[in-house]
Structure formats: structure tokens, C-alpha cells
Amino acid sequence: MAQKKSPAPARELLFGNLWEFDPAPESASPNIDSRYDLFINGETVAPRSGKYFASTSPRNGEKLAEIAEASPADVDAAYKAASLAFPKWSRLPGAERGKYLFRIARLLQDRSREFAVAETLDGGKPIRESRDFDLPMAAAHFFYHAGWADKLEYLAPGRKASPLGVVGQVIPWNFPLLMLAWKIAPALACGNTVVLKPAETTSITAMKFVSILSAAGLPPGVVNIVTGAAETGSVVVGHPGAAKIAFTGSTAIGKEIQRAIAGTGKRLTLELGGKAANIVFEDAPIDQAVEGIVNGIFFNQGHVCCAGSRLLVQESVTDAVLRRLKLRVQQLRVGDPLDKNTDLGAINSPQQLRKIQALVKCGLHEGADMYQPEVSLPKTGWYFPPTIFSNVSMSHQVAREEIFGPILSVLTFRTAEEALEKANNTRFGLSAGVWTEKGSRILKMSGALKAGVVWANTYNKFDPSSPFGGYKESGFGREGGKHGLLEYLQLT
Ligand code: NDP
């Protein structure tokens, strides 16, 4: 009998540091003003307090602009403007509202390079991502919802769908313009008017967006944007003029908001934190899975609520997956987010960097093994290298807390049941990933995983038509798709 030949070891092209990349800085101008006021009733107005705060670039710590700090009186003016605009806007035929949304989408496309550079400077994400993901997705959300504006009656046949009124929206710093689009586009398509507060550290693209609203000829008061920190956010949430609050951010603040508006009759959607399990079975295409793992945790420096931050690998392939993962991570380029070659940019703020550093220290203290490739980080700005913790157990903090940084915790499993048990053993339930050749296993796992989104043999894929949202402490309500539209409508 012929002896079976063992397969030749896979060849790997490893160039190490053989070549240096020349810098490839993006050169389009971001057109950032030195100062941004509030946007109320179709006009930019100075804050009544006269106070402004500095917005700095995480790329190098340099000041980019001064941002107005909205007081309760400013928030009140914004709600009044939105309330006055509501009757006319909500009665406008859907096709007419849709035209405004189409215009906004087209204008965003026209100015996408400029907005991408501003987003990268303000938030620290690589220009490759703001250019190829944030901007196209933001425009896609306006296009998608423009199409729905005159078809709302098909969402719930036989029932009447009416807008809710003025909607208060509070968004985070990880996808500033995209979160704005996720919030504003469905609200307007359904005939609501809006008061929106961007995050303190990333208000610039929201304030640049004001010029797009003006160019689109959006009637005054339909969208109002008030900038500021947590205090401004809590005034937006607590204002009696709000018919609904839509919030994306941390679970702690989400709970606070839920308590604050309990009993007021306001509708609420919360899109909160996550600690997703990305599960790799032994029959998975390993190279493809490694790309998915890298994209799952290092996209946007891991500042992603649905990041695949817990890697669950079947024991028989753990060594192979870890070896290839480490090789792949060595190839990642960390540094200036404005450079088109950069894979991991800057950490959004010094506070976030401190949180990441503290949790990494905790991982080491608890006995996990840490791997970081050799990278030289820029001397100014806020950066953290891609980090892999292996030998992690379920009780470790790095396996339980949302780190919101480029930190991957690796756990192992033997059977599908064990993988499920571990994946669901978390207070979060936003997303998960499954890597396997077996279709039946994909169906079984995705049905049993307590997560709002489950990706199979891919990760971090988004589309405006797909609903997104969580279970458990990841929040409730959905954004995107038909489900997302229904959150902005009253059905009778
Ligand atoms: P927050 O939840 O504090 O911020 C989200 C938004 O809410 C911001 O606009 C913030 O304003 C605003 N806000 C803060 N406090 C209140 C309040 N009491 N009432 C109303 N609005 C409020 O997140 P952080 O920026 O502090 O980030 C902390 C952690 O939260 C991160 O490390 C990460 O783990 C998680 N996070 C999760 C996100 C997700 O998408 N799931 C997004 C962002 C953070 P301002 O920023 O101006 O203070």
C-alpha cells in the first residue's frame, strides 16, 4: 500500500522589515474652521454661556478648533425650533422629504474626501477607513432612507404610521459622522425633527455637516445640533420636548438615561457596549479567519461596539491560528492616521488610552500571556500597539469588560456546546462571529447565540438595510432596515 504523503508545509512570504514604506499622507484639505457655534433653527448661533472648549487631534495632540458648549437655554432653543418645524415637516409628502435626503447623500458624496480627512484628524481613525468606510456608509444611509420616505405605508400594511415628534439623539466618538447618519436619516425620513448632540471629542464633522444641510435647503429647525459634554447630553435627554431619545454609547450611561426618562412616556432606543465572541472552528478556512479576526478587533483601533474582542478557538487549531495571527499582526502598520498605509491610527483620547492601559495591566496581573509586535509608535499623540492576550480564562477582566481598544483576548473550546456556553456567558449581546465550513453549524450557532448580529465567515460587515442592535446590556431597539424605521414611527 502506498504511503500517504503528509502535506507540504504552507509557504509564507515573510519580508520582515526588509522595505520601509515611504510616507503617503493624504493631502486633501479638511476645511476645518477655527471655531464652531451651535446650529439652531437653520442658523449657526453662539452659545448663550459664551463658553467654548478645545477639540484636539489624537494624531498629535494639536488643537483643531474651538467648539461651543451648549447650556440648558441653548438646548431649550433647539427643542423649540425643532418643535416649530415639526408640523410642516411631518406633513410634507414623503417624496418631498426624500428629495432632501437624496440631496444630503449626494452632497456628502461630493465632499467625501474633505470630510474623511476631517474625521481622521478629529477622531484618529486611519484615513483608509474614514475614506472607504465611514463616508460611503454615511452617504448610503441617507440614500437608503431617502428611498423609504414615500413608502412608509408599506412598513406595516393596514396600519397608519405617523412620526413621533421631536427626537433627541446623543452619539459617541467612535464613528462620529456615521452615527449621525444612522440617527438623522431614519428620523427625517419618517417625518420627525431632531436635536442631536455629538460627542465632546469628535464634534467637527457634525458641525461641518451643517453646511451640507444648508446647501440641501433643509427647512430651518428640522435638524438642530448642540455641542457640549455629558451635561449637555443629559439636558438633551431630559428635555420635556423630546418624544423619543436615541442613544449610542456606554452601557453605564445608557442605564443612567433609562432611569432618567422612566415614567416620562418618551420612547427610547439604546445601542450600548459589547464583548463579542468571534468563534473559529477547526474546519474553518484559517487564513480567511485570521483576516476576519484582525478586521474584527483592530478595525478603528478596536473602538467598535461590535468588535470581535473575544476570540474563541477550537483547541485542535489554537496553535495554528495563534501562530498565523501573530505573523499577520506583525504586518500591521501603526501610526499616523493620515498616512494612507496606516492600519491602526490613534486612540481617540487620553482618557480612552488610560482606560486601555489600565485593562491591559489588569490582564497581565491576572496571568494572561501578552503578545505585542515590535512597533515604533509616534512620539506625539495617543497610540497603543495591537495586543493579543492568550491563556485567558472566562473570569479574567479582559474577557469580561468592554476595553474599546486594540486588545484581543483568546480563549479555547473543545465542543460547539462549550463555545456557545462561553460566547453567551457575558452581560452583553451585540454581535458574534462564526467561522466554519459547515452551513448547518452556522445556522445552529447563529440561532443559539444571544447576539443581535451574527456574522458567518466574515466580520464587521454593515449595510443600511440590515437592522443592528443588541440584547441584554447591549441595549434594545434596532437601527437600520425596516426595524430601524419602525423605531421612529407610531403605528395606529
Ligand atoms: P459615553 O457613553 O459617556 O458617551 C456617549 C455619548 O453620551 C457622548 O456624546 C457623551 O457626551 C454623552 N453622555 C455622557 N454622559 C451622558 C449623560 N449622563 N446623559 C446623556 N448623554 C451623556 O461614552 P464615553 O465616551 O465616556 O466612553 C466610555 C466607554 O464607553 C468606552 O471606553 C467604551 O467602552 C464605551 N463606549 C461604547 C460605545 C458604543 O458604541 N457602544 C461608544 C462610545 C463609548 P461626551 O462625550 O461629550 O461626554
Side-chain angles (χ1 to χ4, degrees), residues 53 169-175 179 197-203 227-238 245 247-254 256-257 260 271-274 303-306 348-349 351-352 355-356 359 401-405 428 430 468 474:
F53 57 91
Q169 304 179 321
V170 179
I171 56 172
W173 43 261
N174 51 344
F175 294 93
M179 287 301 106
K197 190 197 90 69
E200 181 186 4
T201 55
T202 55
S203 302
T227 43
E231 299 74 49
T232 308
S234 66
V235 179
V236 168
V237 166
I245 299 297
F247 173 81
T248 298
S250 62
T251 293
I253 301 297
E256 215 173 283
I257 290 174
E271 201 266 90
L272 309 174
H303 301 330
V304 183
C305 46
C306 51
N348 183 266
S349 64
Q351 303 90 284
Q352 190 59 28
K355 179 183 170 186
I356 293 169
L359 280 160
E401 293 270 317
E402 181 180 50
I403 303 177
F404 229 58
F428 299 110
L430 194 55
F468 184 88
S474 292

Coordinates of all heavy atoms in Angstrom, one line a residue, residues 53 169-175 179 197-203 227-238 245 247-254 256-257 260 271-274 303-306 348-349 351-352 355-356 359 401-405 428 430 468 474, ligand 1:
F53 N -14.9 75.0 24.1 CA -13.9 74.1 24.6 C -13.0 73.7 23.4 O -13.5 73.8 22.2 CB -14.4 72.9 25.3 CG -15.4 72.1 24.5 CD1 -15.0 71.0 23.7 CD2 -16.8 72.3 24.5 CE1 -15.9 70.2 23.0 CE2 -17.7 71.6 23.8 CZ -17.2 70.5 23.0
Q169 N -31.2 63.0 20.2 CA -30.2 62.0 19.8 C -28.8 62.3 20.4 O -28.4 63.4 20.2 CB -30.2 61.9 18.3 CG -31.5 61.6 17.7 CD -31.5 61.5 16.1 OE1 -30.8 62.3 15.5 NE2 -32.3 60.6 15.6
V170 N -28.2 61.3 21.0 CA -26.9 61.5 21.6 C -26.0 60.4 21.0 O -26.3 59.3 21.1 CB -26.9 61.4 23.1 CG1 -25.5 61.6 23.7 CG2 -27.9 62.5 23.7
I171 N -24.8 60.9 20.4 CA -24.0 59.9 19.7 C -22.5 59.9 20.3 O -22.1 60.8 20.9 CB -24.0 60.2 18.2 CG1 -23.5 61.6 17.9 CG2 -25.3 59.9 17.6 CD1 -23.3 61.9 16.4
P172 N -21.8 58.8 20.0 CA -20.5 58.6 20.6 C -19.4 59.1 19.6 O -19.7 59.6 18.5 CB -20.4 57.1 20.8 CG -21.2 56.6 19.7 CD -22.2 57.6 19.3
W173 N -18.1 58.8 20.1 CA -17.0 59.4 19.3 C -16.3 58.4 18.4 O -15.3 58.7 17.7 CB -15.9 59.9 20.3 CG -15.7 59.0 21.5 CD1 -16.2 59.1 22.7 CD2 -14.9 57.8 21.6 NE1 -15.8 58.1 23.6 CE2 -15.0 57.3 22.9 CE3 -14.1 57.1 20.6 CZ2 -14.3 56.1 23.3 CZ3 -13.4 56.0 21.1 CH2 -13.5 55.5 22.4
N174 N -16.8 57.1 18.3 CA -16.0 56.2 17.5 C -16.3 56.2 16.0 O -15.5 55.9 15.2 CB -16.2 54.7 18.1 CG -17.7 54.4 18.3 OD1 -18.6 55.2 18.3 ND2 -17.9 53.1 18.4
F175 N -17.6 56.6 15.7 CA -17.9 56.8 14.3 C -18.8 58.0 14.2 O -20.0 58.0 13.9 CB -18.8 55.6 13.7 CG -18.0 54.3 13.7 CD1 -18.0 53.4 14.7 CD2 -17.2 54.0 12.6 CE1 -17.3 52.2 14.7 CE2 -16.4 52.8 12.5 CZ -16.5 51.9 13.6
M179 N -22.5 57.7 12.8 CA -23.5 57.6 13.9 C -24.6 58.7 13.7 O -25.8 58.5 13.9 CB -23.0 57.7 15.3 CG -22.2 56.4 15.7 SD -23.3 54.9 15.7 CE -22.6 54.1 14.2
K197 N -26.9 65.7 19.8 CA -25.6 66.1 20.4 C -24.5 65.1 20.0 O -24.5 63.9 20.4 CB -25.7 66.1 21.9 CG -24.5 66.7 22.6 CD -24.3 66.4 24.0 CE -23.5 65.2 24.3 NZ -22.1 65.3 24.0
P198 N -23.4 65.6 19.4 CA -22.3 64.8 19.1 C -21.4 64.6 20.3 O -21.6 65.3 21.3 CB -21.5 65.6 18.0 CG -22.2 66.9 17.8 CD -23.3 67.0 18.9
A199 N -20.4 63.7 20.3 CA -19.5 63.5 21.5 C -18.6 64.7 21.6 O -18.2 65.3 20.5 CB -18.8 62.2 21.3
E200 N -18.2 65.0 22.8 CA -17.3 66.2 23.0 C -16.0 66.1 22.2 O -15.6 67.2 21.7 CB -17.0 66.2 24.5 CG -16.2 67.3 25.0 CD -15.8 67.1 26.5 OE1 -16.2 66.1 27.1 OE2 -15.1 68.0 27.1
T201 N -15.4 65.0 22.1 CA -14.1 64.9 21.5 C -14.2 64.8 20.0 O -13.2 65.0 19.3 CB -13.3 63.7 22.0 OG1 -14.1 62.5 21.7 CG2 -12.9 63.7 23.4
T202 N -15.4 64.6 19.4 CA -15.5 64.5 18.0 C -16.7 65.2 17.4 O -17.6 64.6 16.9 CB -15.6 63.0 17.6 OG1 -16.7 62.4 18.3 CG2 -14.4 62.2 17.8
S203 N -16.7 66.5 17.5 CA -17.9 67.3 17.0 C -17.7 67.9 15.7 O -18.6 68.4 15.1 CB -18.2 68.4 18.0 OG -18.4 67.9 19.3
T227 N -23.6 71.2 20.7 CA -22.4 70.5 21.1 C -22.1 70.7 22.6 O -22.7 71.7 23.2 CB -21.2 71.1 20.3 OG1 -21.3 72.5 20.2 CG2 -21.1 70.5 18.9
G228 N -21.3 69.9 23.2 CA -21.0 70.0 24.6 C -20.6 68.7 25.2 O -20.5 67.7 24.4
A229 N -20.5 68.6 26.5 CA -20.1 67.3 27.1 C -21.3 66.6 27.7 O -22.4 66.8 27.3 CB -19.0 67.6 28.1
A230 N -21.0 65.8 28.7 CA -22.0 65.0 29.3 C -23.2 65.8 29.8 O -24.4 65.4 29.7 CB -21.4 64.1 30.4
E231 N -23.0 67.0 30.4 CA -24.0 67.8 31.0 C -25.0 68.1 29.9 O -26.2 68.1 30.1 CB -23.5 69.0 31.6 CG -22.6 68.8 32.8 CD -21.2 68.4 32.3 OE1 -20.6 69.0 31.4 OE2 -20.7 67.4 32.8
T232 N -24.5 68.5 28.7 CA -25.4 68.9 27.6 C -26.2 67.7 27.2 O -27.4 67.8 26.9 CB -24.5 69.4 26.4 OG1 -23.7 70.5 26.9 CG2 -25.4 70.0 25.3
G233 N -25.5 66.5 27.2 CA -26.2 65.3 26.8 C -27.4 65.0 27.7 O -28.5 64.7 27.3
S234 N -27.1 65.2 29.0 CA -28.2 64.9 30.0 C -29.4 65.9 29.8 O -30.5 65.5 30.0 CB -27.7 64.7 31.4 OG -27.3 65.9 31.9
V235 N -29.1 67.1 29.4 CA -30.2 68.1 29.2 C -31.0 67.7 27.9 O -32.2 67.8 27.9 CB -29.6 69.6 29.1 CG1 -30.7 70.5 28.8 CG2 -28.8 69.9 30.4
V236 N -30.3 67.3 26.9 CA -30.9 66.8 25.7 C -31.9 65.7 26.0 O -33.0 65.6 25.6 CB -29.9 66.4 24.6 CG1 -30.6 65.6 23.5 CG2 -29.2 67.6 24.1
V237 N -31.4 64.7 26.8 CA -32.2 63.5 27.2 C -33.4 63.9 28.1 O -34.5 63.4 27.9 CB -31.2 62.5 27.9 CG1 -32.0 61.4 28.6 CG2 -30.3 61.9 26.9
G238 N -33.1 64.8 29.0 CA -34.2 65.1 30.0 C -35.2 66.2 29.5 O -36.2 66.4 30.2
I245 N -35.9 59.3 22.7 CA -34.4 59.5 22.8 C -33.8 58.3 22.1 O -34.1 57.2 22.3 CB -34.0 59.5 24.3 CG1 -34.7 60.7 25.0 CG2 -32.5 59.6 24.4 CD1 -34.3 62.1 24.5
F247 N -30.0 56.8 21.7 CA -28.6 57.0 22.3 C -27.7 55.8 21.9 O -28.1 54.7 21.8 CB -28.7 56.9 23.9 CG -27.4 56.9 24.6 CD1 -26.7 58.1 24.7 CD2 -26.9 55.7 25.1 CE1 -25.4 58.1 25.4 CE2 -25.7 55.7 25.7 CZ -24.9 56.9 25.9
T248 N -26.5 56.2 21.5 CA -25.4 55.2 21.3 C -24.2 55.6 22.2 O -23.8 56.7 22.2 CB -25.0 55.1 19.9 OG1 -26.1 54.8 19.1 CG2 -23.9 54.1 19.7
G249 N -23.8 54.6 23.0 CA -22.6 54.9 23.9 C -22.4 53.8 24.9 O -22.8 52.7 24.6
S250 N -21.9 54.2 26.1 CA -21.6 53.2 27.0 C -22.8 52.6 27.8 O -23.8 53.3 27.9 CB -20.6 53.7 28.1 OG -21.2 54.8 28.8
T251 N -22.7 51.4 28.3 CA -23.8 50.8 29.0 C -24.1 51.6 30.2 O -25.3 51.7 30.6 CB -23.4 49.3 29.3 OG1 -23.3 48.6 28.1 CG2 -24.4 48.6 30.2
A252 N -23.1 52.1 30.9 CA -23.3 52.8 32.2 C -24.2 54.0 31.9 O -25.2 54.3 32.6 CB -22.0 53.3 32.8
I253 N -23.9 54.8 30.9 CA -24.7 56.0 30.6 C -26.1 55.6 30.0 O -27.1 56.2 30.3 CB -24.0 56.9 29.6 CG1 -22.6 57.4 30.2 CG2 -24.8 58.2 29.3 CD1 -22.7 58.2 31.5
G254 N -26.1 54.5 29.3 CA -27.4 54.0 28.8 C -28.3 53.7 30.0 O -29.5 54.0 29.9
E256 N -28.2 55.0 32.9 CA -28.5 56.3 33.6 C -29.7 57.0 32.8 O -30.6 57.5 33.4 CB -27.3 57.2 33.5 CG -27.1 58.1 34.7 CD -25.7 58.8 34.6 OE1 -24.7 58.2 34.9 OE2 -25.7 60.0 34.2
I257 N -29.6 56.9 31.5 CA -30.6 57.5 30.7 C -32.0 56.8 30.9 O -33.0 57.4 31.0 CB -30.2 57.5 29.2 CG1 -29.0 58.5 29.0 CG2 -31.4 57.8 28.3 CD1 -28.4 58.5 27.6
A260 N -33.3 58.0 34.0 CA -33.7 59.4 34.0 C -35.1 59.6 33.3 O -35.8 60.5 33.6 CB -32.6 60.2 33.3
E271 N -28.2 51.8 22.0 CA -27.2 50.9 21.4 C -26.0 51.1 22.2 O -25.3 52.1 22.2 CB -27.0 51.4 19.9 CG -26.5 50.3 19.1 CD -25.0 50.4 19.0 OE1 -24.3 49.8 19.8 OE2 -24.5 51.1 18.1
L272 N -25.6 50.0 23.0 CA -24.6 50.2 24.0 C -23.4 49.3 23.8 O -23.1 49.0 22.6 CB -25.2 49.9 25.4 CG -26.5 50.6 25.7 CD1 -27.2 50.2 27.0 CD2 -26.3 52.1 25.7
G273 N -22.7 48.9 24.8 CA -21.4 48.2 24.7 C -21.6 46.8 24.2 O -22.7 46.2 24.0
G274 N -20.4 46.1 24.0 CA -20.4 44.7 23.6 C -19.1 44.0 24.0 O -18.1 44.7 24.4
H303 N -12.1 50.6 18.6 CA -13.2 51.4 19.2 C -14.5 51.1 18.5 O -15.0 51.9 17.7 CB -12.9 52.9 18.9 CG -11.6 53.4 19.5 ND1 -11.0 53.0 20.6 CD2 -10.8 54.5 19.1 CE1 -9.9 53.6 20.9 NE2 -9.8 54.5 20.0
V304 N -14.9 49.9 18.7 CA -16.1 49.5 17.9 C -17.0 48.7 18.9 O -16.5 47.7 19.5 CB -15.7 48.6 16.7 CG1 -16.9 48.2 15.9 CG2 -14.7 49.3 15.8
C305 N -18.3 49.0 19.0 CA -19.1 48.4 20.0 C -19.3 46.9 19.6 O -19.5 46.0 20.5 CB -20.5 49.0 20.1 SG -21.2 49.4 18.5
C306 N -19.2 46.5 18.3 CA -19.4 45.1 18.0 C -18.1 44.4 17.7 O -18.1 43.4 17.1 CB -20.3 45.1 16.7 SG -19.8 46.1 15.4
N348 N -8.6 57.5 20.5 CA -9.4 58.7 20.4 C -9.0 59.8 21.4 O -9.1 61.0 21.1 CB -10.8 58.3 20.4 CG -11.7 59.5 20.3 OD1 -12.2 60.1 21.2 ND2 -12.0 59.9 19.0
S349 N -8.7 59.4 22.6 CA -8.5 60.5 23.6 C -7.5 60.0 24.7 O -7.4 58.7 24.9 CB -9.8 60.9 24.3 OG -10.3 59.8 25.0
Q351 N -8.1 59.9 27.8 CA -8.9 59.1 28.8 C -9.1 57.7 28.3 O -8.9 56.8 29.1 CB -10.3 59.7 28.9 CG -10.4 61.2 29.4 CD -10.4 62.1 28.2 OE1 -9.4 62.3 27.6 NE2 -11.6 62.6 27.8
Q352 N -9.3 57.6 27.0 CA -9.5 56.2 26.5 C -8.2 55.4 26.5 O -8.2 54.2 26.8 CB -10.1 56.3 25.0 CG -10.6 55.0 24.5 CD -11.7 54.3 25.3 OE1 -12.4 55.0 26.0 NE2 -11.7 53.0 25.3
K355 N -7.7 54.2 29.9 CA -8.6 53.0 30.2 C -8.0 51.7 29.6 O -8.0 50.7 30.3 CB -10.0 53.3 29.6 CG -11.0 52.1 29.9 CD -12.3 52.3 29.3 CE -13.1 51.0 29.3 NZ -14.4 51.1 28.7
I356 N -7.5 51.8 28.4 CA -6.9 50.7 27.7 C -5.7 50.2 28.5 O -5.5 49.0 28.8 CB -6.5 51.0 26.3 CG1 -7.8 51.3 25.4 CG2 -5.7 49.9 25.6 CD1 -7.5 51.9 24.1
L359 N -6.7 48.3 31.7 CA -7.2 47.0 31.5 C -6.1 46.0 31.0 O -6.1 44.8 31.4 CB -8.4 47.0 30.5 CG -9.7 47.5 31.2 CD1 -10.7 48.0 30.2 CD2 -10.3 46.3 32.0
E401 N -14.8 42.7 30.3 CA -15.0 44.1 30.2 C -14.9 44.6 28.7 O -14.1 44.0 28.0 CB -14.0 44.9 31.0 CG -14.0 44.8 32.4 CD -14.9 45.8 33.1 OE1 -14.8 47.0 32.6 OE2 -15.7 45.5 34.0
E402 N -15.7 45.6 28.4 CA -15.5 46.2 27.0 C -14.3 47.1 27.1 O -14.3 48.1 27.8 CB -16.8 47.0 26.6 CG -16.6 47.6 25.3 CD -17.8 48.4 24.8 OE1 -18.2 49.3 25.6 OE2 -18.3 48.2 23.7
I403 N -13.2 46.7 26.4 CA -12.0 47.5 26.5 C -12.0 48.7 25.5 O -11.6 49.8 25.8 CB -10.7 46.6 26.3 CG1 -10.7 45.4 27.2 CG2 -9.5 47.5 26.4 CD1 -9.6 44.5 27.0
F404 N -12.6 48.5 24.4 CA -12.8 49.5 23.4 C -11.4 50.0 22.9 O -11.2 51.2 22.7 CB -13.6 50.7 23.9 CG -14.7 51.1 23.0 CD1 -15.7 50.3 22.6 CD2 -14.8 52.4 22.6 CE1 -16.7 50.7 21.8 CE2 -15.8 52.9 21.7 CZ -16.8 52.0 21.3
G405 N -10.5 49.0 22.7 CA -9.2 49.3 22.2 C -8.7 48.1 21.4 O -9.4 47.1 21.3
F428 N -23.2 41.2 27.8 CA -23.5 41.9 26.6 C -24.2 40.9 25.6 O -24.2 39.7 25.8 CB -22.3 42.5 26.0 CG -21.6 43.5 26.9 CD1 -20.4 43.2 27.5 CD2 -22.1 44.7 27.1 CE1 -19.7 44.1 28.3 CE2 -21.5 45.7 27.9 CZ -20.3 45.4 28.5
L430 N -24.3 42.0 21.7 CA -24.5 42.9 20.5 C -24.2 42.1 19.2 O -24.9 42.2 18.2 CB -23.6 44.1 20.6 CG -23.8 45.2 19.6 CD1 -25.3 45.7 19.7 CD2 -22.9 46.4 19.9
F468 N -29.5 46.6 13.2 CA -28.3 46.5 14.1 C -28.8 46.9 15.5 O -29.5 47.9 15.7 CB -27.2 47.4 13.6 CG -25.9 47.3 14.4 CD1 -25.0 46.3 14.0 CD2 -25.7 48.1 15.5 CE1 -23.8 46.2 14.7 CE2 -24.5 47.9 16.2 CZ -23.6 47.0 15.8
S474 N -26.4 45.2 26.1 CA -26.0 45.9 24.8 C -27.1 46.8 24.3 O -27.0 47.5 23.3 CB -25.6 44.9 23.7 OG -24.4 44.2 24.1
Ligands
NDP1 P1 -20.4 57.8 26.9 O1 -21.4 56.8 27.0 O2 -20.1 58.6 28.1 O3 -20.6 58.8 25.7 C1 -21.5 58.6 24.7 C2 -22.3 59.9 24.4 O4 -23.1 60.2 25.6 C3 -21.4 61.2 24.3 O5 -22.0 62.1 23.4 C4 -21.4 61.7 25.7 O6 -21.1 63.0 25.8 C5 -22.8 61.5 26.1 N1 -23.1 61.5 27.5 C6 -22.3 61.2 28.6 N2 -22.9 61.3 29.7 C7 -24.2 61.5 29.4 C8 -25.4 61.6 30.2 N3 -25.4 61.5 31.5 N4 -26.6 61.9 29.6 C9 -26.6 62.0 28.3 N5 -25.6 61.9 27.5 C10 -24.4 61.6 28.0 O7 -19.1 57.0 26.5 P2 -17.6 57.5 26.7 O8 -17.2 58.5 25.7 O9 -17.4 58.1 28.1 O10 -16.7 56.2 26.6 C11 -16.6 55.3 27.7 C12 -16.7 53.9 27.4 O11 -18.0 53.6 26.8 C13 -15.7 53.5 26.3 O12 -14.5 53.1 26.8 C14 -16.4 52.3 25.7 O13 -16.2 51.2 26.4 C15 -17.9 52.7 25.8 N6 -18.4 53.2 24.5 C16 -19.2 52.4 23.8 C17 -19.7 52.9 22.6 C18 -20.6 52.1 21.8 O14 -20.8 52.4 20.6 N7 -21.2 51.0 22.3 C19 -19.4 54.2 22.1 C20 -18.6 55.0 23.0 C21 -18.1 54.5 24.1 P3 -19.5 63.5 25.9 O15 -18.7 62.5 25.1 O16 -19.5 64.8 25.3 O17 -19.2 63.4 27.3

